[in-house]
Amino acid sequence: ILWFIPGVNDDNRFGKSPPPNPLSVKITGLLFPAFFLLAGIVVFTALTQYLSYKARVQVFNSLSLAWRIQGRLEIYYLENNRHASTFSDLGLPYKMSDRGVSQVQFVNPNKFIVTLDGSVPQIRFQTLEFIKKNGQWECVNGSLKAAYRPKSCKITSPE
């Protein structure tokens, strides 16, 4: 408001009137708020990218856990000439969790479901399904959005 209310141009009881502000002060006064606006945009963009990165890291952690489970399932089959029926057959707890994973559900010897934990809001408690088809494990379906899935994880049913 003080920018738009002119002061007294003459001397007054407070002393002589100050000289007018130079052009550099006026330009700085106009650019200062623009700097904070630009800084806010940069911070918002950086935070969004960081959260996206954090979500992808959590998905990768869940995939690394899934790969360990797949390896154990293959070894169990080779050693026992039959499929495991539970995680306890593999020497794993009934409800498994790891960094970024709240639980892994054993459905059958050819399918298990990884549920992500709630530490990243965008992918909170979403799932990835791992199914063995034709001797190969595939990461398919589940509720995890396509934006956070690695290329190796396909969606075979509509979201």
Side-chain angles (χ1 to χ4, degrees):
I1 292 177
L2 294 177
W3 279 27
F4 302 106
I5 300 174
V8 178
N9 290 336
D10 297 333
D11 295 343
N12 57 30
R13 64 186 175 124
F14 298 107
K16 294 183 178 187
S17 64
N21 288 330
L23 183 61
S24 62
V25 170
K26 291 177 182 178
I27 291 173
T28 303
L30 291 173
L31 292 180
F32 196 65
F35 168 77
F36 282 105
L37 178 66
L38 184 62
I41 291 170
V42 168
V43 167
F44 175 77
T45 304
L47 183 61
T48 303
Q49 290 300 315
Y50 171 73
L51 290 175
S52 175
Y53 163 77
K54 190 173 176 183
R56 289 191 312 272
V57 166
Q58 185 176 355
V59 169
F60 179 78
N61 284 341
S62 69
L63 288 175
S64 64
L65 175 63
W67 294 327
R68 290 194 320 251
I69 293 168
Q70 292 168 8
R72 288 218 181 161
L73 286 166
E74 298 299 327
I75 290 170
Y76 183 88
Y77 180 77
L78 292 173
E79 289 177 348
N80 299 295
N81 203 23
R82 67 181 177 90
H83 292 290
S85 58
T86 64
F87 279 137
S88 57
D89 289 347
L90 304 174
L92 300 170
Y94 173 69
K95 282 194 172 184
M96 264 187 359
S97 63
D98 200 5
R99 289 184 321 168
V101 175
S102 68
Q103 76 172 8
V104 179
Q105 180 185 359
F106 189 84
V107 178
N108 61 48
N110 295 319
K111 180 179 179 180
F112 62 92
I113 300 171
V114 175
T115 303
L116 303 172
D117 71 9
S119 62
V120 180
Q122 299 99 313
I123 58 174
R124 179 175 285 143
F125 305 118
Q126 294 188 26
T127 60
L128 280 171
E129 292 181 20
F130 294 88
I131 299 172
K132 189 173 184 180
K133 291 182 181 176
N134 301 324
Q136 297 292 320
W137 284 98
E138 295 180 7
C139 173
V140 296
N141 297 336
S143 61
L144 185 64
K145 293 177 183 151
Y148 300 108
R149 289 175 179 267
K151 291 179 183 176
S152 62
C153 291
K154 301 177 222 115
I155 299 175
T156 58
S157 63
E159 287 188 8

